[in-house]
Amino acid sequence: MENSETRKEQPEGKKAIMKIVCAWCRKEIGEKEVEGESGITHGICDECLQKHLPKK
C-alpha cells in the first residue's frame, strides 16, 4: 500500500532509500539504496522464515 508519503521522487542521479518490510508480520527488516523513487518493498524476516517456511 503506497501513497504520496511512502513514495517520493528523487532528483536525477541521486540515490533514494527503499524500506524493506516483512510481508508476514510487517516488521521493518532493513533498507537499501535504489535509483529513482523511494518507497517500500517486501521480504521475509528470519523469525517468519523459520515459523512459516521451515526447512524439511
Side-chain angles (χ1 to χ4, degrees):
M1 183 184 318
E2 292 182 328
N3 58 39
S4 61
E5 292 182 20
T6 60
R7 181 168 261 212
K8 298 184 178 161
E9 290 187 36
Q10 298 295 315
E12 193 165 324
K14 191 162 186 172
K15 299 280 184 179
I17 300 296
M18 179 82 58
K19 290 185 181 181
I20 306 167
V21 177
C22 179
W24 277 258
C25 70
R26 306 289 189 240
K27 180 173 88 173
E28 189 172 324
I29 54 177
E31 53 187 40
K32 63 181 177 180
E33 277 191 5
V34 295
E35 294 199 24
E37 296 179 356
S38 62
I40 298 173
T41 190
H42 294 86
I44 185 167
C45 69
D46 292 335
E47 293 87 14
C48 288
L49 182 63
Q50 291 173 8
K51 182 178 177 181
H52 299 290
L53 303 169
K55 291 183 180 180
K56 293 184 177 183

